[in-house]
Amino acid sequence: MTKLTGLHAARIRHYYEKTNSDYEIFLRRKNHLGMHYGFWEWGIFSISQASIHQNKLLADRVEIKKNMRVLDAGCGVGGSAIFLAQHYGCRVDAITIVPSQVTVVKKNAQAHHVRDLVFPSLQDYTKTTFLNNTFDVIWAVESVCHTPNKKQFLKEAYRILKPGWKLIIADG
């Protein structure tokens, strides 16, 4: 596990620990598990549909396949990781700096029958414990906005991403 330090990281952990129930209520996470607002367009009428639509569009953009290894950087409660594992059969390492989210991702992966494909851990995506050239895709949905050091995130992504593979970021 990467050592998590700093006031900024503590504030992020505190925020997500205190607002989890708000996300449950307002984002109606039961249907999609997402902690993001999704992609909206004509014909999408709910946050659940928008979240699933976003996952599908992004996955198609980076051409997720069954034999790939994906890093969900800032995974929240595992919504995208579980979606990718269920719909594409890929292995997803789901990392977060929020301890309770690791527990929830494990429970959600079990409940959605993908615990053999989703591997949550407590890590900071700007300094992970993964080996060089580990991932085919790095997936960062509404998470990179939380780091004050975007450059360090990109350096780490470059280090752990296999040559020629893809980083996808969807952020406000």
Side-chain angles (χ1 to χ4, degrees), residues 83-100:
F83 176 88
L84 294 171
Q86 284 180 319
H87 291 87
Y88 299 90
C90 59
R91 175 196 166 120
V92 185
D93 291 86
I95 63 173
T96 177
I97 62 169
V98 183
S100 64

Side-chain angles (χ1 to χ4, degrees), residues 3-16:
K3 184 177 181 185
L4 305 172
T5 60
L7 182 58
H8 188 77
R11 286 180 176 160
I12 291 168
R13 285 190 300 272
H14 177 77
Y15 169 80
Y16 282 107

Side-chain angles (χ1 to χ4, degrees), residues 33 37 47 101 138 152 167:
L33 300 175
Y37 298 103
I47 190 75
Q101 289 180 342
I138 297 178
Q152 184 57 39
L167 163 66

Side-chain angles (χ1 to χ4, degrees), residues 60-96:
D60 289 348
R61 181 77 177 163
V62 293
E63 301 173 330
I64 301 279
K65 304 271 187 285
K66 184 174 184 167
N67 60 344
M68 290 183 168
R69 186 166 178 190
V70 178
L71 174 66
D72 186 352
C75 66
V77 297
S80 293
I82 290 165
F83 176 88
L84 294 171
Q86 284 180 319
H87 291 87
Y88 299 90
C90 59
R91 175 196 166 120
V92 185
D93 291 86
I95 63 173
T96 177

Side-chain angles (χ1 to χ4, degrees), residues 64 78 89 102 117:
I64 301 279
V102 173
L117 292 173

Side-chain angles (χ1 to χ4, degrees), residues 1 16 33 42 76 84 96 111 116 121 127 136 145 153 166:
M1 175 175 72
Y16 282 107
L33 300 175
W42 187 256
L84 294 171
T96 177
D116 59 332
S121 64
K127 51 184 181 280
D136 299 298
C145 59
F153 167 75
K166 300 172 184 175

